[in-house]
Amino acid sequence: MRSEIGNLIGGQTSEAAGGRFEKLRPGDGSLLCTAPRSGEPEVRAAVAAARGAQREWAARTPVERGEIVRELALALRARREEAAAIVVEETGKSLELALGEADAAVEMGFFVAGEGRRLYGRTTTSAMPNRTVLVTRRPVGVAGLIVSFNTPLPNYAWKVFPAVFCGNAAVLKPSEHTPASAAFFGELCQKLLPPGVLNVVHGIGSEAGPPLVESSDVDLVSFTGSAGTGRSISERGGARLAKVVLELGGKNALVVCDDADLDRAVEWSLASAFSNAGQRCAAASRVVVFDSVYEEFRERFLAGARTYETGPVISEQSLERILRALEGQQVAGGGNRLERPGWWLAPSVVEDVARDASLSRTELFGPVALLYRVGDLDEAIALVNDSPYGLTSAIHTASLHRAMRFAEEVEAGVVVVNGGTHGSEPHMGFGGVKQSGTGWREAGIEALDVYTEWKYVNLIADPART
Ligand code: NAD
């Protein structure tokens, strides 16, 4: 891994006029690397490089672009250990998690590559004789891709692979917390993509992000991150009527009914709340338990939380923000910073939080679970839905009726019965309702709707007969 990372613009590594910023290791707070502190000039250069490369890239057939994406996935698979090792240093997560994420990114590449031979359009009928209408997918143009730090490799793969496959050129603005994995990913892609098709611009979000969102030469902004940043991107992008796709946060709920398999329910609740230090958009940060099993669940959940191996959170600011949110709360377990270098928070369990309190409605993005007690399914569903977010949800029950009612009535993009609040798989569209997104789905063939526009081509076979 390089200690000095550069931007990748038009196939060249370059610096930023604004100098460099430092990236520290969350595991111990030591310096990992520095990266360019980019702003408007670097973003402008990257967008120009993308614009310059896009037409020629789009002129290649989808089959050829699919083959190149397949090669990218194979190249990443061949270097999965190296990629995962970088992610471990950069985020502090376990090697096992990082390897799983590298594999998930590879799988996304394979799924997207298959679209090369499947990029289906439609034909449709017409009221006019002799008219055939072809409905085809066209690239959007230049895509500005802005992503979160939490699972960096899948975050790049979920956006970059479908974006370039669909014939777009892209400017990736990774999180300032993950410059090393973004540089690795960019260099890997650079070996197989023509210069300018993928550009990587590092920088602090508030400095490098807005020029990308505001650039009139960026046809699509695809963003994964917090609702607050999403709102600002929506306003800036909306002002110039750009296509803006937002995948945002969650305050996801997992419900444990009185007929649940309690061992499994505890296991899934722990993993859903605390894996990746709770830094998952799909994390179960609200655990809603039926009254009659509450005490037993609580005891086992607290015992599990005490020994759960989470990684550190991503930054000192993030840790301080979470500790501030826990002040004055009824903390049943954890709630403290671990006595070691880096940014470690003990897995934390909070009880008796009012449903309308800000803690119940704010995503903390850390290893914190709130426990709620409910009398029945009606109350559980009402509580789950009493949230500004609606990304994922889960219910543990032996009753098919309860499961189906929950699936029907819960306001969320994803429902899991007897499992964790998962993310997704490459062939499944992922996204949420309310403030968890703006109605788009990533991954799956749904991603094609993000990265293409429909074009209606009218063919009049015999002009004399119309
Ligand atoms: P964040 O909003 O702080 O940052 C996300 C990205 O936006 C980063 O690259 C950042 O540099 C950039 N950014 C920051 N300010 C910007 C601005 N003013 N203009 C343009 N870009 C700007 O989020 P984060 O802390 O990196 O990630 C955590 C959030 O992401 C959580 O809310 C989580 O739920 C969400 N998330 C959602 C999904 C999903 O698929 N729905 C997946 C992963 C993470």
Side-chain angles (χ1 to χ4, degrees):
M1 193 188 328
R2 297 216 179 91
S3 57
E4 289 203 348
I5 279 162
N7 283 334
L8 183 63
I9 298 178
Q12 303 293 321
T13 306
S14 55
E15 288 298 316
R20 301 194 139 256
F21 68 90
E22 291 189 339
K23 159 66 194 170
L24 309 180
R25 290 181 183 86
D28 62 8
S30 63
L31 179 67
L32 176 67
C33 62
T34 63
R37 189 164 176 168
S38 309
E40 206 271 331
E42 294 75 27
V43 168
R44 193 167 1 102
V47 171
R51 180 60 70 202
Q54 194 266 330
R55 260 174 193 277
E56 223 173 285
W57 175 242
R60 302 207 192 183
T61 66
V63 174
E64 187 182 354
R65 293 196 305 262
E67 278 165 4
I68 293 174
V69 171
R70 183 167 174 276
E71 292 301 318
L72 291 173
L74 286 168
L76 182 56
R77 189 169 73 177
R79 297 177 67 185
R80 67 189 277 279
E81 274 95 8
E82 197 184 333
I86 291 172
V87 171
V88 167
E89 292 220 42
E90 187 174 67
T91 62
K93 68 181 68 183
S94 70
L95 181 61
E96 187 191 356
L97 273 185
L99 282 169
E101 290 173 13
D103 294 341
V106 169
E107 285 307 321
M108 184 65 187
F110 288 148
F111 175 77
V112 170
E115 285 306 309
R117 292 189 185 272
R118 249 190 333 254
L119 192 63
Y120 299 135
R122 295 196 302 263
T123 60
T124 187
T125 54
S126 167
M128 188 192 289
N130 285 310
R131 184 161 82 151
T132 304
V133 181
L134 312 178
V135 188
T136 61
R137 287 190 184 274
R138 305 296 307 153
V140 184
V142 172
L145 312 176
I146 305 178
V147 293
S148 160
F149 68 85
N150 66 332
T151 53
L153 295 169
N155 291 0
Y156 311 143
W158 273 34
K159 290 200 193 294
V160 170
F161 288 158
V164 299
F165 162 69
C166 288
N168 304 289
V171 177
L172 173 66
K173 210 306 278 167
S175 165
E176 51 271 49
H177 300 300
T178 59
S181 59
F184 173 89
F185 185 87
E187 282 166 25
L188 183 117
C189 292
Q190 210 46 51
K191 297 200 165 79
L192 292 153
L193 290 171
V197 170
L198 175 64
N199 307 276
V200 183
V201 177
H202 299 277
I204 310 299
S206 57
E207 298 170 358
L212 186 59
V213 176
E214 286 167 1
S215 168
S216 57
D217 245 350
V218 172
D219 303 291
L220 157 71
V221 178
S222 177
F223 170 76
T224 297
S226 63
T229 308
R231 190 170 288 112
S232 139
I233 288 178
S234 183
E235 284 165 7
R236 289 169 193 267
R240 62 178 185 89
L241 300 180
K243 183 175 182 181
V244 177
V245 172
L246 304 177
E247 300 294 345
L248 307 174
K251 190 80 178 177
N252 310 291
L254 184 152
V255 175
V256 182
C257 299
D258 51 6
D259 59 349
D261 173 335
L262 222 52
D263 291 340
R264 294 281 92 74
V266 170
E267 211 174 285
W268 278 117
S269 301
L270 289 166
S272 298
F274 301 131
S275 72
N276 204 24
Q279 299 169 122
R280 295 190 311 124
C281 56
S285 43
R286 297 185 295 152
V287 182
V288 180
V289 187
F290 275 35
D291 210 12
S292 56
V293 292
Y294 186 89
E295 291 305 330
E296 192 183 347
F297 178 90
R298 172 189 191 276
E299 201 175 305
R300 292 206 219 169
F301 187 68
L302 281 170
R306 272 193 289 277
T307 55
Y308 201 94
E309 295 272 329
T310 64
V313 297
I314 197 68
S315 65
E316 177 76 39
Q317 295 91 310
S318 190
L319 179 56
E320 283 172 2
R321 175 180 53 76
I322 298 168
L323 286 169
R324 267 197 309 277
L326 294 180
E327 276 168 19
Q329 300 295 335
Q330 184 73 33
V331 177
N336 58 295
R337 183 177 189 154
L338 299 184
E339 302 244 339
R340 55 189 292 186
W343 305 304
W344 300 76
L345 178 70
S348 306
V349 182
V350 186
E351 288 182 290
D352 298 328
V353 183
R355 291 163 196 195
D356 58 355
S358 118
L359 192 61
S360 285
R361 307 177 72 78
T362 308
E363 183 187 42
L364 292 183
F365 222 54
V368 179
L370 313 186
L371 283 189
Y372 300 86
R373 192 193 282 264
V374 290
D376 57 22
L377 188 63
D378 285 331
E379 202 188 340
I381 292 174
L383 194 157
V384 173
N385 288 343
D386 186 8
S387 171
Y389 293 106
L391 192 52
T392 68
S393 61
I395 186 168
H396 284 251
T397 177
S399 158
L400 181 59
H401 176 242
R402 280 175 167 174
M404 292 304 289
R405 250 202 75 200
F406 183 79
E408 183 68 29
E409 293 180 26
V410 78
E411 294 163 2
V414 180
V415 178
V416 178
V417 176
N418 293 327
T421 48
H422 294 299
S424 189
E425 294 179 38
H427 58 292
M428 299 175 187
F430 180 74
V433 299
K434 300 197 270 187
Q435 290 181 23
S436 291
T438 45
W440 299 89
R441 295 293 179 264
E442 289 210 294
I445 52 166
E446 290 85 340
L448 302 177
D449 293 332
V450 173
Y451 296 103
T452 61
E453 300 287 4
W454 288 112
K455 182 177 271 184
Y456 290 74
V457 180
N458 293 259
L459 302 174
I460 296 170
D462 184 353
R465 290 178 58 211
T466 52

